[in-house]
């Protein structure tokens, strides 16, 4: 697995070492065909007719600001993606897009929006994590650390055998991860949007993943629900782990209790014989 090249320096430093991408005034050039193609696809995304109202246009401009475009150019030049092709999901703080590589394979490109991210929430989850020493109030540096946190959490979970998307690389406010979906580019739906055909069997698989998450990776998800569990061919895939904290974090127990309550409640509604007490006993060792 490639090492995480995330950077916490000023925006221009993301590409200053690549003369093929930047002129002396910092303007992005399109000499590289792959970069030019990525740029054209980004512009296509921005100008698509489906972006009709002012709110949609505002979201688009927040995603593809100049600094983010520079990061995408750099990642394209490194071969991590060739073009951007459609949205997988849209959240309050980040959008996930499909990235197509030049060999036709698909990756998921998660872009955090600098302008609308909840920085107080980010500081709340990062503060007290021994892996990070975040003292800066600079918003961009905080998001850099937030993306780095998600990258490291995914790597740690994958090593523990938890079924999560593989972290591929990250830079600034952009994280590239494994695409979970079919060969035609259709992303796996969330459990919220596609409940499992056999909820009892799916629940047992999920409990096994949660056990590994907590006791092997020594992490607490912190926001686990059917909104961030994918139903991939009747297998649970846990996503959105940026807020996940280590088990000895000061808020870990509070978050764990919330996760257990959410999963117990949501699968009880599907007819699974479970309870908060039963799930807690199965997970806490």
């Amino acid at each position: 697995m490639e090492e995480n090249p995330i950077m916490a320096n000023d925006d221009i430093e993301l590409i200053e070492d690549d003369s093929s991408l930047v002129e002396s005034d910092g303007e992005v050039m399109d000499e590289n065909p792959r970069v030019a193609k990525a740029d054209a696809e980004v512009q296509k995304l921005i100008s698509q007719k489906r972006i009709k109202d002012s709110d949609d246009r505002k979201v688009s401009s927040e995603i593809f600001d100049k600094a983010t475009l520079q990061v995408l150019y750099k990642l394209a030049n490194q071969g991590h993606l060739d073009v951007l092709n459609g949205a997988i999901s849209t959240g309050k703080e980040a959008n996930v897009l499909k990235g197509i590589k030049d060999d036709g394979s698909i990756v998921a490109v998660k872009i955090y929006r600098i302008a609308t991210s909840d920085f107080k929430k980010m500081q709340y989850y990062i503060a007290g994590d021994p892996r990070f020493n975040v003292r800066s109030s600079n918003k961009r540096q905080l998001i850099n650390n937030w993306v780095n946190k998600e990258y490291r959490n995914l790597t740690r979970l994958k090593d523990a055998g938890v079924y999560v998307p593989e972290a591929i690389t990250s830079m600034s406010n952009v994280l590239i991860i494994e695409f979970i979906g079919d060969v035609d580019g259709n992303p796996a739906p969330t459990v919220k949007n596609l409940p499992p055909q056999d909820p009892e069997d799916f629940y047992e698989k999920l409990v096994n993943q949660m056990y590994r998450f907590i006791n092997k990776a020594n992490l607490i998800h912190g926001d686990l629900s059917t909104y961030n569990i994918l139903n991939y061919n009747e297998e649970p895939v846990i996503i959105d782990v940026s807020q996940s904290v280590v088990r000895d974090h000061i808020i870990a127990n509070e978050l764990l209790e919330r996760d257990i309550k959410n999963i117990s409640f949501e699968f009880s509604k599907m007819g699974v014989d479970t309870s908060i007490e039963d799930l807690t006993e199965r997970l806490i060792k």
Side-chain angles (χ1 to χ4, degrees):
M1 182 181 298
E2 177 179 343
E3 267 195 49
N4 180 11
I6 191 164
M7 301 175 66
N9 300 319
D10 294 335
D11 301 334
I12 195 63
E13 292 183 0
L14 292 168
I15 56 176
E16 67 177 0
D17 60 342
D18 196 331
S19 59
S20 68
L21 297 180
V22 186
E23 291 185 359
S24 58
D25 61 357
E27 290 300 316
V28 178
M29 298 177 67
D30 61 358
E31 292 179 3
N32 186 299
R34 180 183 295 154
V35 173
K37 189 176 181 183
D39 182 31
E41 193 68 20
V42 167
Q43 296 306 322
K44 191 187 302 181
L45 284 170
I46 293 174
S47 62
Q48 281 178 347
K49 292 181 180 179
R50 64 183 175 82
I51 302 177
K52 295 177 181 178
D53 58 44
S54 58
D55 288 341
D56 284 342
R57 286 193 294 271
K58 180 181 179 183
V59 168
S60 180
S61 64
E62 287 168 351
I63 297 171
F64 299 117
D65 59 16
K66 182 177 179 180
T68 299
L69 284 173
Q70 290 176 334
V71 174
L72 291 170
Y73 292 140
K74 185 65 177 282
L75 291 169
N77 196 49
Q78 292 176 351
H80 292 298
L81 71 156
D82 194 35
V83 297
L84 291 172
N85 184 20
I88 296 174
S89 66
T90 302
K92 295 179 181 178
E93 298 168 350
N95 284 41
V96 184
L97 307 176
K98 282 189 289 187
I100 313 297
K101 300 179 67 174
D102 55 11
D103 63 0
S105 60
I106 305 173
V107 293
V109 183
K110 189 170 187 177
I111 303 174
Y112 279 92
R113 299 194 294 272
I114 306 296
T116 60
S117 290
D118 187 341
F119 299 101
K120 288 184 178 179
K121 185 191 82 170
M122 290 180 177
Q123 288 175 325
Y124 176 73
Y125 285 103
I126 289 180
D129 191 321
R131 298 174 297 170
F132 300 91
N133 184 20
V134 181
R135 298 182 181 275
S136 173
S137 59
N138 180 280
K139 291 182 177 181
R140 184 167 293 278
Q141 288 188 7
L142 183 58
I143 286 190
N144 289 353
N145 279 282
W146 189 253
V147 174
N148 188 15
K149 185 171 183 279
E150 184 164 14
Y151 181 99
R152 292 178 64 176
N153 283 345
L154 285 170
T155 302
R156 184 165 173 168
L157 290 162
K158 199 74 172 180
D159 290 344
V162 183
Y163 202 175
V164 294
E166 180 180 358
I168 297 172
T169 191
S170 63
M171 183 181 294
S172 188
N173 62 319
V174 179
L175 173 68
I176 297 182
I177 60 177
E178 175 188 4
F179 172 76
I180 306 296
D182 63 28
V183 294
D184 295 322
N186 299 306
T190 64
V191 173
K192 184 68 176 178
N193 291 330
L194 182 65
Q197 296 176 7
D198 185 341
E200 187 75 42
D201 179 66
F202 193 93
Y203 174 77
E204 289 302 318
K205 293 175 181 176
L206 177 60
V207 172
N208 179 57
Q209 294 301 311
M210 292 175 67
Y211 182 89
R212 288 177 175 272
F213 201 114
I214 297 165
N215 298 291
K216 302 294 185 183
N218 288 311
L219 291 172
I220 306 299
H221 188 284
D223 192 27
L224 197 60
S225 73
T226 52
Y227 285 98
N228 44 38
I229 303 169
L230 301 181
N231 182 352
Y232 180 52
N233 298 325
E234 298 301 308
E235 294 287 338
V237 182
I238 299 173
I239 59 171
D240 294 339
V241 299
S242 55
Q243 75 290 321
S244 299
V245 300
V246 291
R247 282 199 70 176
D248 58 356
H249 194 284
I250 189 172
I251 60 173
N253 288 336
E254 171 191 342
L255 298 181
L256 177 57
E257 290 175 4
R258 186 170 69 188
D259 285 349
I260 290 174
K261 181 179 179 180
N262 286 344
I263 295 303
S264 175
F265 174 73
E266 291 176 346
F267 278 85
S268 290
K269 289 195 302 180
M270 297 182 203
V272 176
D273 183 15
T274 183
S275 67
I276 293 175
E277 294 75 19
D278 176 68
L279 185 54
T280 301
E281 184 177 343
R282 294 183 64 180
L283 293 177
I284 306 303
K285 301 296 180 181

